[in-house]
Amino acid sequence: MRASGVYTFHREMSPVYHQDFKEWELTDMVVWVTGASSGIGEELAYQLSKLGISLVLSARRVHELERVKRKCLENGNLKEKDILILPLDLTNRSSHEMATKAVLQEFGRIDILVNNGGVSQRALCVDTSLDVFKELIELNYLGTVSLTKCVLPHMIERKQGKIVTVNSMVGIIAAPLSTGYCASKHALRGFFNTLRSELATYPGITISNICPGPVQSNIVKNALTEEVTKPTGSTADQSYKMATSRCVRLMLVAMANDLKEVWISDQPFLLMIYLWQYMPTLAWWLTNKAAKRRIENFKSGVDADSSYFRSVKKKHD
């Protein structure tokens, strides 16, 4: 489904996207994935490893990256020399230039940068320390911008490359309990949409914003709360969320086809993006109505995500 240059994927499209996946468009490329130690980044590494590419895996947890690498070698089509483990802290911006040079030294080029690293948030704005907002901007926004700026000159010199950023549905809409996270994702969308316009004279360089809805991962478990040192640690049910493997498969469709922006979600969550795009007044009314219940659940100690989203999905089904 396409709307105003924006591609959207949902469950009803499953018979179609296999036909749209030109996997040969991604073979023989050097792909650098941040946040590769878990969730979407980890699954992306597994699916890319089957396509005959060179893979750079980055995150802060080296032992988890090694685990992902081993699984890529066991189940993919890559050899030891095809995978580079490159520890990276997105908040340590002074290290990004050296990291970029390390990739170029190892493989000679960077064809695709996948900006996937980041952290979410679950807390009321009024209770949240300013340090949490700072951490979200430093990691999700400035860290991603910094690494992109280090890689971009290389792509401009070659006049080709793909910059793929895993944003979020909440980079488009609003989500209560995630003020800092939403702000950082809105900032990313604005940055990369503007960067795309600045690169209009380089048609070989493509910018893709990937905006998933609820996806099965540890993003809520690792989300910040009202304090930086206090993650949620949530182990709530995620059955209502899209499977990570399917989300990543659709991401590969977007990457292979150089799509500018992609909304990936099951219904009814995808509908909310459409409402925000075309019927904002109604979207505000529904968001405010949903916010009251979500905040009530949160204050009473009930998992705000699973309790609310399960009920919404049940009504839709």
Side-chain angles (χ1 to χ4, degrees):
M1 184 176 294
R2 186 180 181 184
S4 303
V6 176
Y7 286 75
T8 61
F9 295 111
H10 52 86
R11 179 164 293 167
E12 289 74 12
M13 289 191 65
S14 56
V16 177
Y17 71 77
H18 289 288
Q19 301 172 16
D20 294 336
F21 183 26
K22 303 178 291 184
E23 63 182 34
W24 61 86
E25 295 285 352
L26 300 178
T27 57
D28 299 321
M29 289 193 171
V30 177
V31 185
W32 187 0
V33 182
T34 67
S37 61
S38 65
I40 288 176
E42 177 180 352
E43 179 62 28
L44 186 60
Y46 298 150
Q47 294 195 27
L48 284 170
S49 68
K50 299 177 181 179
L51 300 181
I53 52 91
S54 296
L55 194 56
V56 183
L57 304 177
S58 287
R60 288 181 286 193
R61 298 178 296 170
V62 180
H63 64 286
E64 289 298 318
L65 292 176
E66 294 289 354
R67 176 185 59 81
V68 174
K69 178 180 178 179
R70 287 194 300 271
K71 192 168 180 180
C72 285
L73 293 174
E74 291 170 2
N75 302 325
N77 298 319
L78 303 184
K79 298 179 180 179
E80 183 81 26
K81 65 178 180 61
D82 298 321
I83 304 178
L84 173 64
I85 296 295
L86 185 63
L88 183 74
D89 183 349
L90 284 174
T91 62
N92 183 11
R93 298 196 296 274
S94 62
S95 69
H96 296 176
E97 188 67 42
M98 189 64 68
T100 303
K101 290 179 179 178
V103 177
L104 294 176
Q105 183 175 357
E106 182 73 17
F107 294 119
R109 69 186 195 278
I110 300 170
D111 296 299
I112 305 177
L113 171 64
V114 182
N115 291 311
N116 175 68
V119 67
S120 188
Q121 175 201 16
R122 294 295 184 276
L124 287 167
C125 175
V126 69
D127 299 328
T128 303
S129 165
L130 194 60
D131 289 338
V132 171
F133 292 98
K134 181 179 179 182
E135 179 73 9
L136 290 163
I137 291 296
E138 287 283 346
L139 177 56
N140 295 354
Y141 177 65
L142 290 177
T144 297
V145 169
S146 172
L147 189 62
T148 298
K149 280 177 56 61
C150 290
V151 172
L152 189 58
H154 166 69
M155 291 186 174
I156 289 176
E157 182 179 357
R158 296 180 66 222
K159 297 183 179 180
Q160 63 183 28
K162 302 174 189 280
I163 299 175
V164 179
T165 300
V166 181
N167 197 296
S168 171
M169 194 168 75
V170 300
I172 303 170
I173 70 174
L177 305 177
S178 300
T179 47
Y181 180 63
C182 288
S184 68
K185 293 298 187 177
H186 275 70
L188 279 178
R189 188 170 184 243
F191 173 83
F192 283 106
N193 282 343
T194 305
L195 178 60
R196 187 187 298 112
S197 69
E198 291 188 6
L199 295 173
T201 54
Y202 296 92
I205 302 176
T206 60
I207 305 290
S208 297
N209 284 320
I210 309 295
C211 301
V215 174
Q216 294 173 11
S217 72
N218 288 328
I219 191 168
V220 177
K221 180 180 179 180
N222 297 326
L224 303 181
T225 57
E226 66 274 10
E227 299 293 341
V228 173
T229 56
K230 185 183 174 185
T232 67
S234 173
T235 57
D237 172 53
Q238 298 195 54
S239 60
Y240 65 92
K241 298 182 179 181
M242 177 182 284
T244 316
S245 58
R246 184 165 181 274
C247 175
V248 168
R249 178 71 177 182
L250 295 176
M251 284 178 59
L252 293 179
V253 174
M255 292 164 62
N257 289 278
D258 294 331
L259 304 186
K260 293 180 176 63
E261 181 166 296
V262 182
W263 305 343
I264 300 176
S265 180
D266 287 333
Q267 296 289 14
F269 314 116
L270 187 62
L271 176 62
M272 283 303 298
I273 308 182
Y274 276 100
L275 292 178
W276 274 79
Q277 182 87 352
Y278 300 112
M279 304 177 70
T281 301
L282 176 59
W284 272 118
W285 181 81
L286 289 172
T287 299
N288 290 342
K289 185 176 181 180
K292 293 179 181 178
R293 180 172 179 180
R294 196 166 188 225
I295 292 170
E296 286 174 0
N297 288 341
F298 178 76
K299 287 183 174 180
S300 63
V302 177
D303 181 79
D305 287 341
S306 61
S307 59
Y308 172 69
F309 285 123
R310 272 205 315 270
S311 64
V312 171
K313 195 168 180 63
K314 184 176 181 180
K315 289 179 182 178
H316 175 265
D317 295 340

